[in-house]
Amino acid sequence: MDTIATIRHSRATFPGEALRPSGQRGFVGRLVRVVGSLARCIGHLLERRRGRLALLEMTDDQLKDIGISRCDAHREGIRRFWE
């Protein structure tokens, strides 16, 4: 196997995502990418929700420090996680 072929086959970024000799990813590779993408998306949504819940737990002085009123914090805190 020459050097170029070795480099081409060792570029997988996820387990099971190795390129086929034709240069196409297999079903498992695509599935790994989709699941990884979905997991990152859910992680972002949960992080956003945790931030909104933290606003609800802040004191009036803490909210004043960041320039948010209690009303604004409450409005933001009760929003659904996908908004």
Side-chain angles (χ1 to χ4, degrees):
M1 187 180 273
D2 62 348
T3 305
I4 300 297
T6 304
I7 292 171
R8 181 179 300 146
H9 291 298
S10 65
R11 280 196 182 157
T13 57
F14 295 109
E17 194 187 18
L19 293 176
R20 293 182 177 176
S22 64
Q24 296 178 348
R25 298 188 198 308
F27 173 75
V28 174
R30 287 191 302 265
L31 182 63
V32 167
R33 286 181 59 130
V34 168
V35 170
S37 177
L38 183 62
R40 281 189 299 278
C41 182
I42 290 171
H44 291 303
L45 292 173
L46 291 175
E47 185 64 30
R48 184 184 306 164
R49 183 65 185 149
R50 281 190 290 269
R52 289 177 176 165
L53 290 175
L55 280 175
L56 293 176
E57 295 175 359
M58 288 184 175
T59 64
D60 288 333
D61 290 334
Q62 291 172 328
L63 290 172
K64 184 178 178 184
D65 285 344
I66 62 173
I68 297 177
S69 70
R70 172 63 60 192
C71 180
D72 292 338
H74 180 71
R75 189 178 311 124
E76 185 67 23
I78 62 172
R79 288 178 65 185
R80 294 185 233 23
F81 68 91
W82 60 82
E83 291 179 343

